[in-house]
Amino acid sequence: MPHNKLLYLTTFGVGFLAVGLITVSFKLYDFSLKNKELKDKISLEKSIHQNQISEILKRYDSVNEKYSNNVSDVKVSASPKSVSISAEKNNKVVVKTNPEILVKKLSAVNVSARGVRIISNDVVETTVSSKIDQVRVRFTLEENKDVKPGNKTIFIQVVNPKNRLLTLKGGGETQLVKEIYYDRLNTDACVFIDLYQYQLIVGDYKIRLINEGQIIGTANFRVN
């Protein structure tokens, strides 16, 4: 009889322990699910906040650049000069000023530049020099009723951290020529510039948009 009682107690204890383990397992599983949901929610909120901050910074840069352009126009009006860009030996960028009265000109706003590479038809932004195949340049030709409508020739240059023009793929030129039809309204444009990876060095690069010998917009991008 004592033997049967001991067996009964042992069986009962094992059963109770099994139920306890199952209960704990379910609770751990439930906790894991809730923890995963919380992490996903935090990650989503972080991504949303980063996108919002990025959008705010882009708008700030656009407003700041527009303000700078306006200030520049006021100063030039007081002492009329035009700026021309040329490239001398070793692709060194040279900025020259010529005394002449300025006329109404195009202005590029919302200019942005990013190093990218194409992966399965997707454009992926990157700052790693060994992964950059192209530079994507986006800009808007600002509405201006004083500028004649028609095709506008935009020259796009890439200046490296040593203030030298990069030689672009596809012809050995130091600037890309883009024809854009302009009808005095805000005109959006997106251009991809093919680069030689071996030319890329670490630092900040500058994109120059030029029309009729004058810089109408600039943007910077980083290469690591």
Side-chain angles (χ1 to χ4, degrees):
M1 188 67 181
H3 176 73
N4 292 336
K5 186 176 181 180
L6 179 61
L7 180 61
Y8 172 77
L9 291 175
T10 302
T11 304
F12 177 78
V14 171
F16 181 78
L17 181 60
V19 172
L21 288 174
I22 293 173
T23 302
V24 171
S25 297
F26 274 113
K27 288 186 177 180
L28 288 175
Y29 177 73
D30 183 61
F31 176 77
S32 177
L33 288 178
K34 290 182 178 179
N35 188 43
K36 185 177 183 301
E37 290 177 357
L38 180 60
K39 286 183 178 180
D40 291 341
K41 184 177 180 181
I42 292 174
S43 177
L44 179 60
E45 290 180 351
K46 182 179 179 181
S47 176
I48 292 174
H49 290 161
Q50 287 178 341
N51 290 336
Q52 290 175 340
I53 292 173
S54 177
E55 184 65 24
I56 291 172
L57 290 176
K58 286 181 180 179
R59 291 182 180 179
Y60 173 79
D61 290 340
S62 175
V63 172
N64 188 46
E65 181 178 352
K66 188 173 181 181
Y67 173 77
S68 298
N69 288 338
N70 290 337
V71 172
S72 177
D73 289 342
V74 171
K75 290 182 178 178
V76 170
S77 298
S79 178
K81 293 182 180 180
S82 66
V83 180
S84 62
I85 310 298
S86 62
E88 294 186 351
K89 189 176 181 181
N90 296 325
N91 291 339
K92 191 73 173 180
V93 178
V94 179
V95 180
K96 298 179 180 179
T97 58
N98 299 316
E100 61 181 38
I101 298 176
L102 283 177
V103 296
K104 296 293 184 179
K105 64 182 181 67
L106 282 176
S107 178
V109 297
N110 301 325
V111 186
S112 67
R114 296 289 185 274
V116 300
R117 71 181 311 179
I118 308 299
I119 301 177
S120 301
N121 296 325
D122 292 328
V123 179
V124 180
E125 293 185 2
T126 179
T127 60
V128 181
S129 61
S130 61
K131 295 183 179 180
I132 295 177
D133 296 323
Q134 299 173 312
V135 174
R136 181 182 61 196
V137 182
R138 291 172 172 168
F139 58 92
T140 300
L141 296 180
E142 193 174 32
E143 177 181 353
N144 190 336
K145 300 301 182 181
D146 295 321
V147 176
K148 291 182 179 180
N151 289 327
K152 303 299 179 182
T153 303
I154 309 298
F155 297 89
I156 306 174
Q157 299 176 338
V158 183
V159 184
N160 74 5
K162 294 184 178 181
N163 201 34
R164 297 182 184 277
L165 293 174
L166 294 187
T167 301
L168 310 181
K169 276 186 178 180
E173 299 293 334
T174 57
Q175 58 188 8
L176 179 69
V177 182
K178 180 73 174 179
E179 289 284 339
I180 300 175
Y181 182 77
Y182 179 74
D183 196 23
R184 297 180 177 176
L185 301 175
N186 287 333
T187 304
D188 295 326
C190 181
V191 179
F192 288 85
I193 306 173
D194 293 322
L195 300 178
Y196 291 107
Q197 286 186 352
Y198 73 85
Q199 291 188 103
L200 299 179
I201 59 176
V202 174
D204 294 316
Y205 288 69
K206 176 171 285 187
I207 295 293
R208 298 184 191 273
L209 304 179
I210 302 169
N211 174 251
E212 297 182 350
Q214 299 182 34
I215 297 175
I216 63 172
T218 62
N220 295 328
F221 69 97
R222 177 75 184 177
V223 173
N224 295 322

